[in-house]
Amino acid sequence: MIRTAHAEDMTVTVPAPISTETATRRQAFEHITPNWFAAVMGTGIVATAAATLPVQFRALHVFAVAVWICAAAALVVMSGAFAMHWIAHRDRAVAYARHPVMMQFYGAPPMALLTVGAGAGLLGADLLGATASTALFAILWATGTLAGLLTSVAVPYRMITASDHRDVTALPAWLMPVVPPMVSASTGALLLPHVPDGQWRLALLCACYAMFGLSLIVGMLTMTLIYGRLLHGGLPPIDAAPTLWITLGLIGQSITAANLLGTDASMVFIGSQASIAVGLHVFGIGYGLIMGGFGTLMFALAAALTVHAARRNLGFSLTWWSFTFPIGTCVTGATALGTALDFGAVHALAVVLYAVLLAAWVTVATRTVRGVLRGTLLYRN
């Protein structure tokens, strides 16, 4: 609505004032940054980890389906809110996209798509039917994979070509744009049985291993920088301490991918090529055991540093979602490795880790909902 105001002999057209309620609604989208998608990732991994646990019973399955529905709904809501963020607050959105730390979290939306997609493949048949759930899985996997590959190139490119590098220091958040191809590799293993046999299935398996290598090599280089920064520069700011758990995301997801792909290789390499499948299966087990040792170290270190930060008044923020998805990948990694080894102790570890994941998710989800309802997470000064 437009009104016209007269002042002496000049006519000035000005926009009608926006109501306080409308302004407040628009302001709610001002700070919907990509790290909000970590809530979708953290919720989705609770569902997918439950669906793959070595111990299965009816109540757990129902719970997993319910949580997946919540994750899918959150993905839809977050996607709409993020679109409104760019439409209604474009200048703010561009500033966030150029921020050296916030830009790292553009790896979160692709992983949210991939996690919800995997849930559709594992759990969606109860609601959508087998055909529709597989189609949804394939669409979300393809979309998330393309977005993740784009992010893994665009974010480093932006960092390299930035005009000012004076205050740039390695942070755990640097792993966020690196991990999506690894998530594509592990979830692609779940999609493999649904792909036509022959060249198409071989192409998908090779693509998954290529993304596994991309993410693993760049991720380990990045983790070396992060570890060196922690030793020489100390802890990041207290509120960012939970992001230390992001390192476990690469570790757990890579163990998951190596073992799921190693198991699925027997569907691709048969007959005279059966030895290739055996070799990939053995590789997955060996990799899982070696990386599992490293993961144990990083888990203990992240837990100790989190306690250290908690004693120094660690306040709640969206960074707390870093407690969920990385631990969830440790659950799926332990499950996949335990299945490949047929080792009950590793399966038992997966169940224990899932209990830890569940406790973390309930705590963080409850605080997030409370923060949204009170507005403390939506409105900033």
Side-chain angles (χ1 to χ4, degrees), residues 174-203:
W174 282 17
L175 287 169
M176 288 298 292
V178 175
V179 178
M182 187 65 78
V183 181
S184 292
S186 62
T187 54
L190 300 176
L191 186 62
L192 202 67
H194 303 286
V195 174
D197 194 9
Q199 292 295 302
W200 284 105
R201 189 173 289 179
L202 174 61

Side-chain angles (χ1 to χ4, degrees), residues 46-342:
V46 171
T48 56
T52 58
L53 278 176
V55 179
Q56 291 292 319
F57 48 91
R58 181 61 183 170
L60 179 64
H61 179 75
V62 172
F63 170 75
V65 172
V67 175
W68 174 71
I69 292 172
C70 291
L75 177 62
V76 173
V77 172
M78 282 307 312
S79 298
F82 192 56
M84 284 299 300
H85 169 67
W86 273 93
I87 294 170
H89 304 280
R90 186 171 182 81
D91 291 343
R92 176 75 73 175
V94 170
Y96 279 134
R98 292 176 176 172
H99 191 277
V101 176
M102 188 56 70
M103 75 167 68
Q104 310 298 328
F105 289 94
Y106 270 86
M111 288 190 281
L113 290 168
L114 293 165
T115 306
V116 173
L122 292 169
L123 301 162
D126 286 6
L127 300 174
L128 307 174
T131 302
S133 61
T134 301
L136 178 60
F137 180 15
I139 292 170
L140 291 177
W141 185 86
T143 305
T145 296
L146 291 174
L149 290 173
L150 177 62
T151 302
S152 67
V153 175
V155 172
Y157 173 82
R158 175 64 186 170
M159 294 173 66
I160 293 169
T161 58
S163 58
D164 187 2
H165 291 86
R166 288 174 298 178
D167 297 325
V168 176
T169 182
L171 298 171
W174 282 17
L175 287 169
M176 288 298 292
V178 175
V179 178
M182 187 65 78
V183 181
S184 292
S186 62
T187 54
L190 300 176
L191 186 62
L192 202 67
H194 303 286
V195 174
D197 194 9
Q199 292 295 302
W200 284 105
R201 189 173 289 179
L202 174 61
L204 179 58
L205 181 68
C206 291
C208 287
Y209 269 111
M211 289 186 287
F212 172 87
L214 181 162
S215 186
L216 178 64
I217 294 172
V218 178
M220 293 308 294
L221 290 172
T222 304
M223 222 180 304
T224 301
L225 295 173
I226 295 169
Y227 190 74
R229 187 265 181 215
L230 290 173
L231 292 179
H232 293 287
L235 277 172
I238 295 298
D239 288 344
T243 60
L244 294 168
W245 291 85
I246 296 176
T247 56
L248 285 168
L250 177 65
I251 296 170
Q253 200 67 256
S254 65
I255 295 173
T256 305
N259 282 279
L260 290 181
L261 291 172
T263 299
D264 286 350
S266 61
M267 294 188 298
V268 177
F269 300 108
I270 57 177
S272 61
Q273 292 185 315
S275 59
I276 299 176
V278 174
L280 292 175
H281 181 69
V282 171
F283 167 76
I285 293 174
Y287 176 87
L289 291 172
I290 294 170
M291 189 59 77
F294 179 52
T296 302
L297 167 65
M298 295 306 297
F299 193 105
L301 186 59
L305 292 175
T306 301
V307 172
H308 177 82
R311 290 176 176 173
R312 285 157 179 78
N313 299 319
L314 172 63
F316 176 74
S317 67
L318 289 177
T319 60
W320 280 38
W321 281 101
S322 302
F323 295 135
T324 55
F325 188 81
I327 296 178
T329 67
C330 293
V331 176
T332 58
T335 299
L337 178 60
T339 300
L341 279 171
D342 192 19

